[in-house]
Amino acid sequence: MNRPALVYADSSGRIFDFPELEMVGSSAQRWHRIQPEDWMPLPEGSDLFLLPDRFPVGYNPRKRQFEVLSRDPFDPSIPVQAVAAFMAPAHTQIFTAAYRSKPDARLLPLFSYTAVGWLNGRFVAAGLRIDSDERQDLRHFDPRQIERNARRRMDRESRNRLIRHLGKCAITYGCPAARNLFMNRWEAPLPTSPACNARCLGCISLQERTDLCATQDRISFVPTPDEICGVAIPHLEQAPRAVVSFGQGCEGEPLLQADTIRAAIAAMRRATGRGTVNLNTNGSLPARVAALCEAGLDSIRVSLNSARRDFYTAYFNPRGYTFEDVKASILSAKSNGAFASINYFVLPGFTDDVNEFQALCRLVDETHPDFIQMRNLNIDPEWYLKSIDFRPGKTLGIRHLITRLKENFPHLQLGYFNPCLDRTLA
Ligand code: SF4
């Protein structure tokens, strides 16, 4: 059987394949031979990352053993490093990259590191497409058109600070949600909060460690309800499959700005009933969730790295709230008629751990979410697992986890994006 070959990079960053060794996947630092159903062509919009201070691991089918590649097989004088894929949106990883770290290895930046190989003239990755929605597919983004639209709107609405902030997100950071805003389609972002009541290890908008940088600046002001509506109402009124979402990567926790958001939602819903108003949140304040639902909020998405209290607390470092509050927020949304999603950070070896799966099933039974977004956890896997003090145990495999969830909860949808709930726009 033709299996993907190992890929590695030399010290200058050039990437090569080495057919003598097979691509290998990692599951909480346990190495696995890759099976045909585990790989897919590397989707467009994915990136390849070099992993400094880490030696790639391959499988030698002749010797039937895993092997660490520490020198370039074609020139042993050259050191090598491992390579990983940062998969495009809408894709869930099945295995992370397999490597052996040097004792003093530097921390990897806040991205996900999926196993990657080479087969039949192209890169393949150990992942699957979990959501068919194309809203963040690279082929839909024309950067020049988006920049023209963003600059025109920033000029036209120069007094709206939120438009200026999102213009920078679209042009500088390439945020897909901000880009779609300036293309008047699908899901648009509504960041509001400079503050947060958690201190996530992998926070992408604020990092206190000196050896880890946030991937985007956090918003520095709280927009007014008018500024929020200036962005949201035209989008809700015009965009195909319109969704506007509070709670973005470039902010803290939106529930801390509940009064502002409630006023904005009420104004949006006085203007139009079209589209979906969504809140991405850490779920810390269930009473505020109820108040926003009363004002017209249609859906919430609560982020979880784990369905187990101790691992949740070790990652989120909550300030003034508990895991019980998070569950209460999902229940609060459901009891107020809103659609509830879990933003489930996926890390092979942890997420498909048998005990984690059982805890997730208990949480679904208890809180009745409608949707689980299977999003890859953007963090250095070794550092994360050490930081939350996780001991690898028996695992299901990510694909089997997905199958079991569907069997156990036929009503539960699995995907990646906040759905547009407005049936008139389907
Ligand atoms: S809840 Fe969000 S903003 Fe707050 S620390 Fe975590 S990732 Fe950062």
Side-chain angles (χ1 to χ4, degrees), residues 196-200 202-205 218 251-253 282 316:
C196 189
N197 55 357
R199 292 291 180 278
C200 296
C203 181
I204 59 173
S205 64
R218 189 177 280 187
E251 67 173 307
E253 175 47 42
N282 63 18
F316 274 81

Side-chain angles (χ1 to χ4, degrees), residues 39-110:
W39 73 71
M40 65 175 295
L42 184 68
E44 188 193 30
S46 304
D47 294 309
L48 289 174
F49 286 154
L50 307 179
L51 308 183
D53 309 331
R54 292 158 177 84
F55 298 123
V57 171
Y59 182 78
N60 186 326
R62 282 174 302 101
K63 298 181 182 168
R64 297 178 179 215
Q65 63 184 30
F66 294 103
E67 293 182 2
V68 177
L69 194 71
S70 56
R71 312 298 296 181
D72 190 318
F74 304 108
D75 180 350
S77 70
I78 300 176
V80 297
Q81 52 193 320
V83 178
F86 180 56
M87 294 195 79
H91 294 84
T92 301
Q93 59 187 349
I94 295 171
F95 288 113
T96 53
Y99 50 77
R100 175 160 296 153
S101 300
K102 292 179 182 172
D104 57 351
R106 286 161 281 177
L107 213 50
L108 295 173
L110 296 172

Side-chain angles (χ1 to χ4, degrees), residues 116-133:
V116 63
W118 183 259
L119 183 67
N120 302 333
R122 62 179 174 186
F123 289 106
V124 297
L128 54 88
R129 184 159 190 140
I130 190 80
D131 200 316
S132 59
D133 186 310

Side-chain angles (χ1 to χ4, degrees), residues 29 54 99-101 105 379-387:
Q29 281 93 46
R54 292 158 177 84
Y99 50 77
R100 175 160 296 153
S101 300
I379 205 165
D380 180 319
E382 288 180 338
W383 176 57
Y384 169 73
L385 295 170
K386 192 157 165 267
S387 301

Side-chain angles (χ1 to χ4, degrees), residues 104-220:
D104 57 351
R106 286 161 281 177
L107 213 50
L108 295 173
L110 296 172
F111 296 99
S112 55
Y113 300 96
T114 302
V116 63
W118 183 259
L119 183 67
N120 302 333
R122 62 179 174 186
F123 289 106
V124 297
L128 54 88
R129 184 159 190 140
I130 190 80
D131 200 316
S132 59
D133 186 310
E134 301 182 353
R135 75 181 70 172
Q136 296 191 3
D137 284 14
L138 186 67
R139 64 193 177 84
H140 292 308
F141 294 120
D142 172 351
R144 279 193 296 257
Q145 177 67 56
I146 289 163
E147 178 158 0
R148 275 196 300 277
N149 293 0
R151 294 204 181 287
R152 196 180 305 127
R153 190 155 180 197
M154 287 196 280
D155 291 347
R156 200 174 62 234
E157 299 169 54
S158 56
R159 301 166 68 87
N160 188 326
R161 296 169 301 166
L162 189 53
I163 290 282
R164 288 207 302 279
H165 174 86
L166 293 170
K168 179 182 176 192
C169 294
I171 297 169
T172 309
Y173 297 125
C175 166
R179 286 175 155 184
N180 281 329
L181 169 69
F182 293 111
M183 293 300 290
N184 299 317
R185 63 187 182 194
W186 308 325
E187 184 173 8
L190 298 175
T192 58
S193 186
C196 189
N197 55 357
R199 292 291 180 278
C200 296
L201 296 176
C203 181
I204 59 173
S205 64
L206 190 70
Q207 276 292 335
E208 285 150 0
R209 295 180 62 106
T210 53
D211 57 351
L212 202 54
C213 64
T215 48
Q216 53 222 10
D217 295 341
R218 189 177 280 187
I219 193 168
S220 59

